[in-house]
Amino acid sequence: MTSEAKPRVLLVGIGPTTRDALEALAERFDVVALVRPGDDDTTAYAGKLGVPVEPGTRVADIEALVERLAPDAVVVSSYDRILPDRLLSRRPFVNVHYSPLPRGRGRANVNWAIVNGDAETAISVHTMAPGLDAGGILHQESVPIGPRDTVTDLYDRLNGRQRAVLADAVARRLAGDEGDPQDHSLATYGCTRLPEDGEIAWSAPTAVTDRLIRALTPPYPGAFTHFGLETLRILRAEPAPDAPDYTGRVPGRVVLVDRTGAGWVDVLTGDGVLRVHEVAVGDGESAAVPAASVIRSVKTTLGLRTADLLRLLRAAPTREDG
């Protein structure tokens, strides 16, 4: 007697949820390929499992791959393009989406949940159908957001739930179930976030700035400000405990530099004080350092000011200079 062959599944994923999706699917299905560019921990894990990695992520690449491999289902976990109806009609497609659909269709929903101060989000596994994140719900459950959670924390929690529930949801779809219909009248949408959207406006309330910083921790590049003409990424911060009341207020002004060893710096916001613990100078992969090792004076004002721009213009070579 031969054992029944496992259903064949193609996994598409370019973001931070894909490794956990691969782990969940490999336990129950024959994963015929992983669509993912480059080399990283996820592609290395696929290699250990014997899953071929296909680097082409264009819609045309995926369409050709589906035609060639003819999987029983396609699972999408972290992909940034809309697949056309002609492709979705060929076989079952299942998508993992981290929001309480129909609320939070679209992009960057884990970031937006923290930026907006939501108390919870959700994992939604749904059938892919025409329309943005509009298919029937195969599995959905709420995931709480703690008051100090970062986007890193939240992804860890959501990915853990994905590992636990994805295989059952895919099996449900393969059995012919298209999921529970969404109420489209309740839909909301998140727009794409770009790296430049992480610039801190120091005139905003402390809670808003704190949420922005927590929403852009790894795998994102971090919220940032300017220290003179240098880009300064704020990696870890919190509302300053027991801060005095400043009735004279210049948002972005440093008001206290810790010299006892902890190395934090207190900065005025639009309504309070933010305590900055760790920073990194520049746009690249520079290491985190205590804020006080970079910001040493209470005469410092963070943020790109008119005076900084004028200084930059004055220092720029003129046409006469060649």
Side-chain angles (χ1 to χ4, degrees):
M1 179 181 294
T2 59
S3 60
E4 185 177 351
K6 294 180 179 180
R8 301 170 67 254
V9 171
L10 171 65
L11 175 59
V12 179
I14 63 175
T17 72
T18 310
R19 161 68 189 254
D20 295 273
L22 178 57
E23 185 176 337
L25 294 172
E27 293 179 355
R28 294 266 295 273
F29 305 104
D30 177 11
V31 183
V32 294
L34 166 65
V35 175
R36 188 176 180 88
D39 296 316
D40 60 12
D41 290 344
T42 301
T43 56
Y45 180 61
K48 290 180 181 178
L49 296 176
V51 174
V53 177
E54 297 285 345
T57 60
R58 298 176 307 161
V59 171
D61 297 326
I62 294 172
E63 198 162 10
L65 195 61
V66 169
E67 183 70 22
R68 175 165 62 87
L69 296 178
D72 296 306
V74 180
V75 178
V76 179
S77 182
S78 295
Y79 185 63
D80 59 358
R81 300 167 199 179
I82 297 175
L83 298 177
D85 298 352
R86 67 177 182 275
L87 179 55
L88 298 180
S89 65
R90 293 185 184 179
R91 62 200 65 249
F93 276 73
V94 174
N95 184 51
V96 180
H97 191 77
Y98 287 168
S99 82
L101 292 174
R103 292 185 293 114
R105 293 177 178 177
R107 305 288 182 84
N109 291 289
V110 183
N111 310 89
W112 283 121
I114 293 180
V115 167
N116 293 335
D118 296 344
E120 63 180 21
T121 185
I123 175 173
S124 300
V125 185
H126 67 93
T127 295
M128 296 185 73
L132 181 61
D133 300 321
I137 302 296
L138 297 163
H139 180 89
Q140 185 175 88
E141 64 180 86
S142 297
V143 174
I145 302 174
R148 300 305 307 155
D149 275 348
T150 66
V151 74
T152 314
D153 299 326
L154 193 50
Y155 263 118
D156 286 347
R157 198 170 301 131
L158 287 160
N159 286 343
R161 294 312 304 152
Q162 180 187 209
R163 284 195 306 275
V165 307
L166 179 58
D168 284 345
V170 173
R172 179 179 170 184
R173 181 68 188 93
L174 284 168
D177 191 341
E178 296 190 1
D180 302 325
Q182 297 184 43
D183 184 345
H184 302 306
S185 68
L186 300 178
T188 63
Y189 296 85
C191 72
T192 302
R193 290 191 61 85
L194 304 173
E196 53 264 37
D197 298 328
E199 184 171 6
I200 294 169
W202 290 105
S203 58
T206 303
V208 170
T209 303
D210 173 55
R211 293 199 301 263
L212 178 67
I213 293 166
R214 290 189 288 111
L216 294 175
T217 55
Y220 299 94
F224 69 93
T225 186
H226 290 89
F227 177 51
L229 298 178
E230 291 273 10
T231 298
L232 187 71
R233 290 182 290 136
I234 309 297
L235 304 180
R236 187 167 65 89
E238 63 176 331
D242 303 319
D245 185 12
Y246 289 88
T247 57
R249 179 172 298 277
V250 177
R253 178 66 49 81
V254 174
V255 291
L256 194 58
V257 177
D258 174 67
R259 305 188 190 281
T260 65
W264 45 259
V265 169
D266 281 354
V267 184
L268 291 180
T269 65
D271 68 348
V273 181
L274 186 76
R275 179 158 293 175
V276 179
H277 291 281
E278 292 182 340
V279 301
V281 179
D283 296 318
E285 299 297 323
S286 50
V289 297
S293 68
V294 176
I295 306 165
R296 299 184 176 91
S297 171
V298 294
K299 295 182 179 179
T300 301
T301 303
L302 300 179
L304 195 57
R305 300 175 298 162
T306 302
D308 297 321
L309 294 173
L310 288 173
R311 188 163 61 252
L312 180 63
L313 289 171
R314 289 168 183 149
T318 64
R319 185 173 299 176
E320 288 76 11
D321 294 331

